[in-house]
Coordinates of all heavy atoms in Angstrom, one line a residue:
L50 N -33.6 -20.3 -8.0 CA -32.4 -19.7 -8.6 C -31.2 -19.7 -7.7 O -31.4 -19.4 -6.5 CB -32.7 -18.3 -9.1 CG -33.7 -18.1 -10.2 CD1 -34.1 -16.6 -10.4 CD2 -33.2 -18.7 -11.5
P51 N -30.0 -19.8 -8.2 CA -28.9 -19.8 -7.3 C -28.7 -18.3 -6.8 O -28.9 -17.4 -7.5 CB -27.7 -20.2 -8.2 CG -28.2 -20.2 -9.5 CD -29.7 -20.2 -9.5
E52 N -28.2 -18.2 -5.6 CA -27.9 -16.9 -5.0 C -26.5 -16.5 -5.2 O -25.6 -17.3 -5.0 CB -28.3 -17.0 -3.5 CG -28.2 -15.6 -2.8 CD -28.6 -15.7 -1.4 OE1 -29.7 -16.2 -1.1 OE2 -27.8 -15.2 -0.5
V53 N -26.3 -15.3 -5.6 CA -24.9 -14.8 -5.9 C -24.7 -13.6 -5.0 O -25.5 -12.7 -4.9 CB -24.7 -14.5 -7.4 CG1 -23.3 -13.9 -7.6 CG2 -25.0 -15.6 -8.3
R54 N -23.5 -13.6 -4.4 CA -23.1 -12.4 -3.6 C -22.0 -11.7 -4.2 O -21.0 -12.3 -4.7 CB -22.7 -12.8 -2.2 CG -23.9 -13.4 -1.4 CD -23.5 -13.8 0.0 NE -24.5 -14.5 0.7 CZ -25.0 -14.1 1.8 NH1 -24.5 -13.1 2.4 NH2 -26.0 -14.8 2.3
V55 N -22.1 -10.4 -4.3 CA -21.0 -9.6 -4.8 C -20.2 -9.0 -3.7 O -20.8 -8.4 -2.8 CB -21.6 -8.5 -5.7 CG1 -20.5 -7.6 -6.3 CG2 -22.4 -9.1 -6.8
Q56 N -18.9 -9.2 -3.8 CA -18.0 -8.6 -2.8 C -17.8 -7.1 -3.0 O -17.7 -6.7 -4.2 CB -16.7 -9.3 -2.8 CG -16.7 -10.7 -2.3 CD -15.3 -11.3 -2.3 OE1 -14.4 -10.8 -2.9 NE2 -15.2 -12.5 -1.6
P57 N -17.8 -6.3 -2.0 CA -17.6 -4.9 -2.2 C -16.2 -4.6 -2.7 O -15.3 -5.3 -2.2 CB -17.9 -4.3 -0.8 CG -17.7 -5.4 0.2 CD -18.1 -6.7 -0.6
L58 N -16.1 -3.7 -3.6 CA -14.8 -3.3 -4.1 C -14.1 -2.2 -3.2 O -14.8 -1.4 -2.6 CB -14.9 -2.8 -5.5 CG -15.4 -3.8 -6.6 CD1 -15.6 -3.1 -7.9 CD2 -14.4 -4.9 -6.7
V59 N -12.8 -2.3 -3.2 CA -12.0 -1.3 -2.5 C -11.4 -0.4 -3.5 O -10.8 -0.8 -4.4 CB -10.9 -1.9 -1.6 CG1 -10.1 -0.9 -0.9 CG2 -11.5 -2.9 -0.6
T60 N -11.6 0.9 -3.4 CA -11.0 1.9 -4.3 C -9.6 2.2 -4.0 O -9.2 2.0 -2.8 CB -11.8 3.2 -4.4 OG1 -11.7 3.9 -3.1 CG2 -13.3 2.9 -4.7
I61 N -8.9 2.7 -4.9 CA -7.5 3.1 -4.7 C -7.4 4.2 -3.7 O -6.6 4.2 -2.8 CB -6.8 3.5 -6.0 CG1 -6.6 2.3 -6.9 CG2 -5.4 4.2 -5.7 CD1 -6.1 2.6 -8.3
E62 N -8.4 5.1 -3.7 CA -8.4 6.2 -2.8 C -8.6 5.7 -1.3 O -8.0 6.2 -0.4 CB -9.5 7.2 -3.1 CG -9.3 8.0 -4.4 CD -9.6 7.3 -5.7 OE1 -10.2 6.2 -5.6 OE2 -9.2 7.7 -6.7
E63 N -9.5 4.8 -1.2 CA -9.7 4.2 0.2 C -8.5 3.5 0.7 O -8.1 3.6 1.8 CB -10.9 3.2 0.2 CG -12.2 3.8 0.0 CD -13.3 2.7 -0.3 OE1 -13.0 1.6 -0.7 OE2 -14.5 3.1 0.0
M64 N -7.8 2.8 -0.2 CA -6.6 2.1 0.1 C -5.5 3.0 0.4 O -4.7 2.8 1.4 CB -6.2 1.1 -1.0 CG -5.2 0.1 -0.5 SD -5.7 -1.0 0.8 CE -6.8 -2.1 -0.1
M65 N -5.4 4.2 -0.3 CA -4.4 5.2 0.0 C -4.6 5.8 1.4 O -3.6 5.9 2.1 CB -4.5 6.3 -1.0 CG -3.9 5.9 -2.4 SD -4.2 7.2 -3.7 CE -3.4 8.6 -3.0
D66 N -5.8 6.0 1.8 CA -6.1 6.5 3.1 C -5.7 5.5 4.2 O -5.1 5.9 5.2 CB -7.6 6.8 3.3 CG -8.1 8.0 2.5 OD1 -7.2 8.9 2.2 OD2 -9.3 8.2 2.2
R67 N -6.0 4.2 4.0 CA -5.6 3.2 4.9 C -4.1 3.1 5.1 O -3.6 3.1 6.2 CB -6.1 1.8 4.5 CG -7.6 1.6 4.6 CD -7.9 0.1 4.2 NE -9.3 -0.1 3.8 CZ -9.8 -1.2 3.3 NH1 -9.0 -2.2 3.1 NH2 -11.0 -1.3 3.0
L68 N -3.4 3.1 3.9 CA -2.0 3.0 4.0 C -1.3 4.2 4.6 O -0.5 4.1 5.4 CB -1.4 2.8 2.6 CG 0.1 2.6 2.4 CD1 0.6 1.4 3.3 CD2 0.4 2.4 1.0
A69 N -1.8 5.4 4.3 CA -1.2 6.6 4.8 C -1.4 6.6 6.3 O -0.5 7.0 7.1 CB -1.9 7.8 4.2
K70 N -2.6 6.2 6.8 CA -2.9 6.2 8.3 C -2.0 5.2 9.0 O -1.5 5.5 10.0 CB -4.4 5.9 8.5 CG -5.3 7.1 8.2 CD -6.7 6.7 8.4 CE -7.6 7.9 7.9 NZ -9.0 7.5 8.0
R71 N -1.9 4.0 8.4 CA -1.0 3.0 9.0 C 0.4 3.4 9.1 O 1.1 3.2 10.1 CB -1.1 1.7 8.2 CG -2.4 0.9 8.3 CD -2.4 0.0 9.5 NE -1.3 -0.9 9.8 CZ -1.2 -2.1 9.3 NH1 -2.2 -2.6 8.5 NH2 -0.2 -2.8 9.6
V72 N 0.9 4.1 8.0 CA 2.3 4.5 8.0 C 2.5 5.7 9.0 O 3.5 5.7 9.7 CB 2.8 5.0 6.6 CG1 4.1 5.7 6.6 CG2 2.8 3.8 5.6
Q73 N 1.6 6.6 9.1 CA 1.7 7.7 10.1 C 1.7 7.1 11.5 O 2.4 7.6 12.4 CB 0.6 8.7 9.9 CG 0.8 9.6 8.7 CD -0.4 10.5 8.5 OE1 -1.4 10.4 9.1 NE2 -0.2 11.5 7.6
N74 N 0.9 6.1 11.8 CA 0.8 5.6 13.1 C 2.0 4.7 13.5 O 2.5 4.7 14.6 CB -0.4 4.7 13.3 CG -1.7 5.6 13.3 OD1 -1.6 6.7 13.6 ND2 -2.8 5.0 13.0
A75 N 2.5 4.0 12.5 CA 3.6 3.0 12.7 C 5.0 3.6 12.4 O 6.0 3.1 12.8 CB 3.5 1.8 11.9
L76 N 5.1 4.8 11.8 CA 6.3 5.4 11.3 C 7.0 4.6 10.2 O 7.5 5.2 9.3 CB 7.2 5.8 12.4 CG 6.7 6.7 13.5 CD1 7.7 6.9 14.6 CD2 6.3 8.0 12.9
T77 N 7.1 3.3 10.3 CA 7.6 2.5 9.3 C 6.8 1.2 9.2 O 6.3 0.7 10.2 CB 9.1 2.2 9.5 OG1 9.6 1.4 8.4 CG2 9.4 1.4 10.8
L78 N 6.6 0.8 8.0 CA 5.7 -0.4 7.8 C 6.2 -1.2 6.6 O 6.7 -0.7 5.6 CB 4.3 0.2 7.4 CG 3.2 -0.8 7.2 CD1 2.8 -1.5 8.4 CD2 2.0 0.0 6.6
S79 N 6.0 -2.5 6.8 CA 6.4 -3.4 5.7 C 5.2 -3.6 4.8 O 4.0 -3.6 5.2 CB 6.7 -4.8 6.3 OG 6.6 -5.8 5.4
F80 N 5.4 -3.6 3.5 CA 4.3 -3.8 2.5 C 3.7 -5.1 2.8 O 2.4 -5.3 2.7 CB 4.8 -3.7 1.1 CG 3.6 -3.8 0.1 CD1 2.7 -2.7 -0.1 CD2 3.5 -4.9 -0.6 CE1 1.7 -2.9 -0.9 CE2 2.4 -5.1 -1.5 CZ 1.5 -4.0 -1.7
K81 N 4.5 -6.1 3.1 CA 3.9 -7.5 3.4 C 2.9 -7.4 4.6 O 1.9 -8.1 4.6 CB 5.0 -8.5 3.7 CG 5.7 -9.0 2.4 CD 6.7 -10.0 2.8 CE 7.5 -10.4 1.5 NZ 8.5 -11.4 1.8
E82 N 3.3 -6.6 5.6 CA 2.5 -6.5 6.8 C 1.1 -5.8 6.4 O 0.1 -6.2 6.8 CB 3.1 -5.6 7.8 CG 4.3 -6.2 8.5 CD 5.0 -5.2 9.4 OE1 4.6 -4.1 9.6 OE2 6.1 -5.6 10.0
F83 N 1.2 -4.8 5.6 CA 0.0 -4.0 5.1 C -0.8 -4.9 4.2 O -2.0 -5.0 4.4 CB 0.4 -2.7 4.5 CG -0.8 -1.9 4.0 CD1 -1.6 -1.3 5.0 CD2 -1.1 -1.9 2.7 CE1 -2.8 -0.6 4.6 CE2 -2.2 -1.2 2.3 CZ -3.1 -0.5 3.2
A84 N -0.3 -5.4 3.2 CA -1.0 -6.2 2.2 C -1.4 -7.6 2.7 O -2.3 -8.2 2.2 CB -0.3 -6.3 0.9
G85 N -0.7 -8.1 3.7 CA -0.9 -9.4 4.2 C -2.2 -9.5 5.0 O -2.6 -10.6 5.4
Q86 N -2.9 -8.4 5.2 CA -4.2 -8.5 5.9 C -5.3 -9.2 5.1 O -6.3 -9.6 5.6 CB -4.7 -7.1 6.2 CG -3.7 -6.3 7.1 CD -4.2 -4.9 7.2 OE1 -5.1 -4.4 6.5 NE2 -3.5 -4.1 8.1
T87 N -5.1 -9.3 3.8 CA -6.1 -9.9 2.9 C -5.5 -11.0 2.1 O -4.3 -11.0 1.8 CB -6.7 -8.8 2.0 OG1 -7.7 -9.4 1.2 CG2 -5.7 -8.2 1.1
R88 N -6.3 -11.9 1.7 CA -5.9 -13.0 0.8 C -6.4 -12.7 -0.7 O -6.1 -13.5 -1.6 CB -6.4 -14.3 1.3 CG -5.8 -14.6 2.7 CD -5.5 -16.1 2.8 NE -5.1 -16.4 4.1 CZ -3.8 -16.5 4.5 NH1 -2.9 -16.2 3.6 NH2 -3.5 -16.9 5.7
E89 N -7.2 -11.7 -0.9 CA -7.7 -11.4 -2.2 C -6.7 -10.7 -3.1 O -6.1 -9.7 -2.7 CB -9.0 -10.5 -2.0 CG -10.1 -11.1 -1.3 CD -10.7 -12.3 -2.0 OE1 -10.8 -12.3 -3.2 OE2 -11.2 -13.2 -1.3
K90 N -6.5 -11.3 -4.2 CA -5.5 -10.7 -5.1 C -5.8 -9.3 -5.5 O -4.9 -8.4 -5.6 CB -5.3 -11.6 -6.4 CG -4.5 -12.8 -6.2 CD -4.4 -13.5 -7.6 CE -3.6 -14.7 -7.4 NZ -3.4 -15.4 -8.7
I91 N -7.1 -9.0 -5.7 CA -7.4 -7.7 -6.2 C -7.1 -6.6 -5.1 O -6.6 -5.5 -5.4 CB -8.9 -7.6 -6.6 CG1 -9.3 -6.3 -7.3 CG2 -9.8 -7.8 -5.4 CD1 -8.6 -6.1 -8.6
E92 N -7.2 -7.0 -3.9 CA -6.9 -6.0 -2.8 C -5.4 -5.8 -2.7 O -4.9 -4.7 -2.4 CB -7.5 -6.4 -1.5 CG -9.0 -6.2 -1.4 CD -9.6 -6.2 0.0 OE1 -8.8 -5.8 0.9 OE2 -10.7 -6.7 0.1
I93 N -4.6 -6.8 -2.9 CA -3.2 -6.7 -2.9 C -2.7 -5.8 -4.1 O -1.9 -4.9 -3.9 CB -2.5 -8.1 -3.0 CG1 -2.8 -8.9 -1.7 CG2 -1.0 -7.9 -3.2 CD1 -2.4 -10.3 -1.8
I94 N -3.3 -6.0 -5.2 CA -3.0 -5.1 -6.4 C -3.4 -3.7 -6.1 O -2.6 -2.7 -6.4 CB -3.8 -5.6 -7.7 CG1 -3.2 -7.0 -8.1 CG2 -3.7 -4.7 -8.8 CD1 -4.0 -7.8 -9.1
V95 N -4.6 -3.5 -5.5 CA -5.0 -2.1 -5.2 C -4.1 -1.5 -4.1 O -3.8 -0.3 -4.2 CB -6.5 -2.1 -4.8 CG1 -6.9 -0.7 -4.2 CG2 -7.4 -2.5 -5.9
S96 N -3.6 -2.3 -3.2 CA -2.7 -1.8 -2.2 C -1.4 -1.3 -2.8 O -0.9 -0.3 -2.5 CB -2.3 -2.9 -1.2 OG -3.5 -3.4 -0.5
F97 N -0.9 -2.1 -3.8 CA 0.3 -1.7 -4.5 C 0.1 -0.4 -5.3 O 1.0 0.5 -5.3 CB 0.8 -2.9 -5.4 CG 2.2 -2.6 -5.9 CD1 3.3 -2.6 -5.1 CD2 2.4 -2.3 -7.3 CE1 4.6 -2.4 -5.6 CE2 3.6 -2.0 -7.8 CZ 4.7 -2.1 -7.0
L98 N -1.0 -0.3 -6.0 CA -1.3 0.9 -6.7 C -1.4 2.1 -5.8 O -1.0 3.2 -6.1 CB -2.6 0.7 -7.6 CG -2.5 -0.3 -8.7 CD1 -3.8 -0.5 -9.4 CD2 -1.4 0.2 -9.7
A99 N -2.0 1.9 -4.6 CA -2.1 3.0 -3.6 C -0.7 3.4 -3.2 O -0.4 4.6 -3.0 CB -2.9 2.5 -2.5
L100 N 0.2 2.4 -3.0 CA 1.5 2.7 -2.6 C 2.2 3.5 -3.6 O 2.9 4.5 -3.4 CB 2.3 1.4 -2.3 CG 3.8 1.6 -2.1 CD1 4.2 2.5 -0.9 CD2 4.5 0.2 -2.0
L101 N 2.1 3.1 -4.9 CA 2.7 3.9 -6.0 C 2.2 5.3 -6.1 O 3.0 6.3 -6.3 CB 2.5 3.2 -7.3 CG 3.2 1.8 -7.5 CD1 2.8 1.2 -8.8 CD2 4.7 2.0 -7.4
E102 N 0.9 5.5 -5.9 CA 0.3 6.9 -5.9 C 0.8 7.7 -4.7 O 1.2 8.9 -4.9 CB -1.2 6.8 -5.9 CG -1.9 8.1 -6.1 CD -1.5 8.8 -7.4 OE1 -1.3 8.2 -8.4 OE2 -1.4 10.1 -7.4
L103 N 0.9 7.1 -3.5 CA 1.5 7.9 -2.4 C 2.9 8.2 -2.6 O 3.4 9.3 -2.2 CB 1.3 7.1 -1.1 CG -0.1 7.0 -0.6 CD1 -0.2 6.0 0.6 CD2 -0.7 8.3 -0.2
L104 N 3.7 7.3 -3.3 CA 5.1 7.6 -3.6 C 5.1 8.8 -4.6 O 5.9 9.7 -4.4 CB 5.8 6.4 -4.2 CG 6.2 5.3 -3.3 CD1 6.6 4.1 -4.0 CD2 7.4 5.8 -2.4
K105 N 4.3 8.8 -5.6 CA 4.2 9.8 -6.6 C 3.9 11.2 -6.0 O 4.5 12.2 -6.3 CB 3.2 9.4 -7.7 CG 3.0 10.4 -8.8 CD 2.0 9.9 -9.7 CE 1.4 11.0 -10.5 NZ 0.3 10.6 -11.4
Q106 N 3.0 11.2 -5.0 CA 2.6 12.4 -4.3 C 3.6 12.9 -3.3 O 3.6 14.0 -2.9 CB 1.3 12.2 -3.6 CG 0.1 12.0 -4.6 CD -1.2 11.7 -3.9 OE1 -1.3 11.8 -2.6 NE2 -2.2 11.5 -4.6
G107 N 4.6 12.0 -3.0 CA 5.6 12.3 -2.0 C 5.2 12.2 -0.6 O 5.9 12.7 0.3
A108 N 4.1 11.5 -0.3 CA 3.6 11.4 1.0 C 4.3 10.3 1.8 O 4.4 10.4 3.0 CB 2.1 11.0 1.0
V109 N 4.9 9.3 1.1 CA 5.7 8.3 1.8 C 7.0 8.1 1.0 O 7.1 8.5 -0.1 CB 4.9 6.9 1.8 CG1 3.6 7.0 2.6 CG2 4.6 6.4 0.4
V110 N 7.9 7.4 1.7 CA 9.2 7.0 1.1 C 9.2 5.5 1.2 O 8.9 4.9 2.2 CB 10.4 7.6 1.9 CG1 11.7 7.1 1.3 CG2 10.3 9.1 1.8
A111 N 9.7 4.8 0.1 CA 9.8 3.4 0.1 C 11.2 3.0 -0.2 O 11.9 3.6 -1.0 CB 8.8 2.8 -1.0
E112 N 11.6 1.9 0.5 CA 13.0 1.4 0.3 C 12.9 -0.1 0.1 O 12.1 -0.8 0.8 CB 13.8 1.7 1.5 CG 14.0 3.2 1.7 CD 14.7 3.5 3.0 OE1 14.5 2.7 4.0 OE2 15.3 4.5 3.1
Q113 N 13.6 -0.7 -0.8 CA 13.7 -2.1 -1.0 C 15.2 -2.5 -1.2 O 15.8 -2.0 -2.2 CB 12.9 -2.5 -2.3 CG 12.8 -4.0 -2.5 CD 12.0 -4.3 -3.8 OE1 11.9 -3.5 -4.7 NE2 11.4 -5.5 -3.8
Y114 N 15.7 -3.2 -0.3 CA 17.1 -3.5 -0.2 C 17.6 -4.7 -1.1 O 18.7 -4.7 -1.5 CB 17.6 -3.6 1.2 CG 17.4 -2.4 2.0 CD1 16.4 -2.3 2.9 CD2 18.2 -1.2 1.8 CE1 16.2 -1.1 3.7 CE2 18.0 -0.1 2.5 CZ 17.0 0.0 3.4 OH 16.8 1.1 4.1
D115 N 16.7 -5.6 -1.3 CA 17.0 -6.8 -2.1 C 16.1 -7.0 -3.2 O 14.9 -6.6 -3.1 CB 16.9 -8.1 -1.2 CG 17.9 -8.0 0.0 OD1 19.0 -7.6 -0.2 OD2 17.5 -8.4 1.1
R116 N 16.5 -7.5 -4.3 CA 15.7 -7.8 -5.4 C 14.6 -8.8 -4.9 O 14.9 -9.8 -4.3 CB 16.4 -8.4 -6.6 CG 15.6 -8.7 -7.8 CD 16.4 -9.3 -8.9 NE 17.1 -8.2 -9.5 CZ 17.8 -8.4 -10.6 NH1 18.0 -9.5 -11.2 NH2 18.4 -7.3 -11.2
Y117 N 13.4 -8.5 -5.2 CA 12.2 -9.2 -4.8 C 12.0 -9.2 -3.2 O 11.3 -10.0 -2.7 CB 12.3 -10.7 -5.3 CG 12.5 -10.8 -6.7 CD1 13.7 -11.4 -7.3 CD2 11.5 -10.4 -7.6 CE1 13.9 -11.5 -8.6 CE2 11.7 -10.5 -9.0 CZ 12.9 -11.0 -9.5 OH 13.1 -11.1 -10.8
G118 N 12.8 -8.4 -2.6 CA 12.7 -8.2 -1.1 C 11.4 -7.4 -0.7 O 10.8 -6.8 -1.6
D119 N 11.2 -7.4 0.6 CA 10.1 -6.7 1.1 C 10.3 -5.2 0.9 O 11.4 -4.7 0.9 CB 9.9 -7.0 2.6 CG 8.5 -6.5 3.1 OD1 7.6 -6.2 2.2 OD2 8.3 -6.5 4.3
I120 N 9.2 -4.4 0.8 CA 9.3 -3.0 0.6 C 9.0 -2.4 2.0 O 8.0 -2.6 2.6 CB 8.2 -2.5 -0.4 CG1 8.5 -3.1 -1.8 CG2 8.2 -1.0 -0.5 CD1 7.4 -2.9 -2.8
R121 N 9.9 -1.5 2.5 CA 9.7 -0.8 3.7 C 9.2 0.6 3.4 O 9.7 1.3 2.5 CB 11.0 -0.7 4.5 CG 11.7 -2.0 4.9 CD 10.9 -2.8 5.8 NE 10.5 -2.2 7.0 CZ 9.7 -2.6 7.9 NH1 9.1 -3.8 7.7 NH2 9.4 -2.0 9.0
I122 N 8.1 1.0 4.0 CA 7.4 2.2 3.8 C 7.5 3.1 5.0 O 7.2 2.6 6.1 CB 5.9 2.0 3.4 CG1 5.8 0.9 2.3 CG2 5.2 3.3 3.0 CD1 4.4 0.3 2.2
R123 N 7.8 4.3 4.9 CA 7.8 5.3 6.0 C 7.2 6.6 5.6 O 7.2 6.9 4.4 CB 9.2 5.4 6.6 CG 10.2 6.0 5.8 CD 11.6 6.0 6.5 NE 12.6 6.3 5.6 CZ 13.0 7.5 5.2 NH1 12.4 8.6 5.7 NH2 14.0 7.7 4.3
H124 N 6.7 7.3 6.6 CA 6.1 8.6 6.3 C 7.2 9.6 5.9 O 8.3 9.6 6.4 CB 5.5 9.1 7.6 CG 4.8 10.4 7.5 ND1 3.7 10.6 6.8 CD2 5.2 11.6 8.1 CE1 3.4 11.9 6.9 NE2 4.2 12.5 7.7
N125 N 6.9 10.4 4.9 CA 7.8 11.4 4.4 C 7.6 12.7 5.2 O 6.5 13.3 5.0 CB 7.7 11.6 2.9 CG 8.8 12.4 2.3 OD1 9.7 12.8 3.0 ND2 8.7 12.7 1.0
A126 N 8.5 13.1 6.0 CA 8.4 14.4 6.7 C 8.3 15.6 5.8 O 7.5 16.5 6.1 CB 9.5 14.5 7.7
S127 N 9.1 15.6 4.8 CA 9.1 16.7 3.8 C 8.3 16.2 2.6 O 8.8 15.4 1.8 CB 10.5 17.2 3.5 OG 11.2 16.1 2.8
T128 N 7.1 16.7 2.4 CA 6.3 16.2 1.3 C 6.5 16.9 0.0 O 5.6 17.0 -0.8 CB 4.8 16.2 1.7 OG1 4.5 17.5 2.0 CG2 4.5 15.3 2.9
S129 N 7.6 17.5 -0.2 CA 7.8 18.3 -1.4 C 8.2 17.5 -2.6 O 7.6 17.7 -3.7 CB 8.8 19.4 -1.2 OG 10.1 18.8 -0.8
V130 N 9.1 16.6 -2.5 CA 9.6 15.9 -3.7 C 9.6 14.4 -3.4 O 10.2 14.0 -2.4 CB 11.0 16.4 -4.1 CG1 11.6 15.6 -5.2 CG2 11.0 17.9 -4.3
P131 N 9.1 13.6 -4.3 CA 9.2 12.1 -4.1 C 10.7 11.6 -4.1 O 11.5 12.2 -4.9 CB 8.4 11.5 -5.2 CG 7.7 12.6 -5.9 CD 8.4 13.9 -5.4
R132 N 11.0 10.6 -3.3 CA 12.3 10.1 -3.3 C 12.2 8.6 -3.5 O 11.5 7.9 -2.8 CB 13.0 10.4 -1.9 CG 14.5 10.1 -2.0 CD 15.1 10.4 -0.7 NE 15.3 9.1 0.0 CZ 15.5 8.9 1.2 NH1 15.3 9.9 2.1 NH2 15.7 7.7 1.7
Y133 N 13.0 8.1 -4.4 CA 12.9 6.6 -4.7 C 14.3 6.1 -4.5 O 15.3 6.6 -4.9 CB 12.6 6.4 -6.2 CG 11.3 7.1 -6.6 CD1 11.3 8.3 -7.3 CD2 10.1 6.5 -6.3 CE1 10.2 8.9 -7.7 CE2 8.9 7.2 -6.7 CZ 9.0 8.4 -7.4 OH 7.8 9.0 -7.7
T134 N 14.4 4.9 -3.8 CA 15.7 4.3 -3.5 C 15.6 2.8 -3.9 O 14.5 2.2 -3.9 CB 16.1 4.4 -2.1 OG1 15.1 4.0 -1.2 CG2 16.5 5.9 -1.8

């Protein structure tokens, strides 16, 4: 019989933890830098969903200056209200 290997899945919660830690350590981070660590589409999608959830919670601030440009992520010092620019 052929042998099949199943790749472990990354949860949104795990990706949120990774992203939050990277942003806290780097103070500012490019989404391309963060998501560029993997070539798997599913992990890039989960990374983006994690970013959206962290934005919703107000843990990070994201800025995108050009249409289709890179997203710059930084730690939000005041975690009270999400800010979108």
Side-chain angles (χ1 to χ4, degrees):
L50 292 174
E52 187 176 307
V53 177
R54 294 181 187 234
V55 178
Q56 292 182 344
L58 296 177
V59 177
T60 66
I61 293 176
E62 290 81 11
E63 291 171 338
M64 196 61 75
M65 286 172 59
D66 288 339
R67 287 185 200 173
L68 182 56
K70 287 177 185 173
R71 288 276 309 270
V72 171
Q73 285 177 348
N74 291 336
L76 298 179
T77 184
L78 179 68
S79 160
F80 183 74
K81 284 183 184 177
E82 291 171 4
F83 179 72
Q86 298 172 350
T87 181
R88 300 218 184 264
E89 298 293 324
K90 282 186 181 181
I91 190 69
E92 286 197 34
I93 295 171
I94 293 166
V95 172
S96 298
F97 189 72
L98 293 173
L100 170 60
L101 292 177
E102 185 60 32
L103 288 171
L104 283 167
K105 180 179 159 188
Q106 293 177 5
V109 297
V110 175
E112 299 169 329
Q113 184 179 28
Y114 296 107
D115 300 316
R116 181 179 282 186
Y117 308 114
D119 195 13
I120 300 169
R121 301 297 303 170
I122 310 161
R123 62 183 166 85
H124 180 68
N125 190 4
S127 64
T128 58
S129 58
V130 179
R132 193 181 103 204
Y133 307 98
T134 53

